[in-house]
Amino acid sequence: AYTQGELFDDIYVKAPRSHPLPKGVVYKLRRPLYGTKQAGRCWYVHVTKTLRAIGLTQLAKDSCLFVKKNSDKPFLIISVLVDDLLILAQDNEIVERFHTEFSDTYNIIDPFH
């Protein structure tokens, strides 16, 4: 998940021992990398934009909860937990619709599909 975010700053890393580079040469990351300080934040910002784009509202009291309402009743609730999502809905059709919309942006690993 973290590698699907977007970097906000330039980040440079040393080459691994298995891929030596000439002295003084480093890699510039194009995507967040697991283990970097910025990776979690980059992922969170990216997934938040995606959830908002597909019609979910982020709660002010808990920024990791997103709700999609229908007639003033929440019918879809998404909880972002690090790089996992917990999906709560009134029926399976709503979950399937969300899965389809979300998978347009992300490569999803879902044991139920």
Side-chain angles (χ1 to χ4, degrees):
Y2 284 177
T3 58
Q4 296 184 46
E6 298 171 13
L7 288 173
F8 305 114
D9 301 311
D10 291 339
I11 299 175
Y12 299 92
V13 295
K14 292 180 182 178
R17 289 185 181 130
S18 61
H19 294 86
L21 292 174
K23 188 174 183 174
V25 177
V26 293
Y27 287 116
K28 179 181 177 183
L29 297 181
R30 289 187 273 162
R31 290 282 188 199
L33 184 67
Y34 284 97
T36 60
K37 294 178 184 178
Q38 299 86 346
R41 177 73 179 152
C42 293
W43 159 249
Y44 174 76
V45 168
H46 197 268
V47 77
T48 296
K49 286 180 187 177
T50 303
L51 293 172
R52 288 179 180 165
I54 59 177
L56 284 107
T57 303
Q58 189 174 19
L59 298 183
K61 299 275 184 181
D62 188 342
S63 60
C64 293
L65 285 177
F66 296 81
V67 178
K68 197 168 192 179
K69 294 183 177 185
N70 183 17
S71 303
D72 296 325
K73 293 182 181 179
F75 70 90
L76 177 62
I77 300 171
I78 306 293
S79 177
V80 179
L81 306 164
V82 186
D83 61 352
D84 293 320
L85 301 180
L86 175 64
I87 304 169
L88 305 168
Q90 291 176 339
D91 62 47
N92 198 41
E93 181 182 323
I94 295 167
V95 174
E96 291 294 330
R97 194 173 325 130
F98 171 76
H99 186 275
T100 300
E101 292 174 330
F102 197 73
S103 63
D104 286 345
T105 304
Y106 298 105
N107 182 17
I108 298 174
I109 298 171
D110 185 351
F112 301 108
H113 282 93

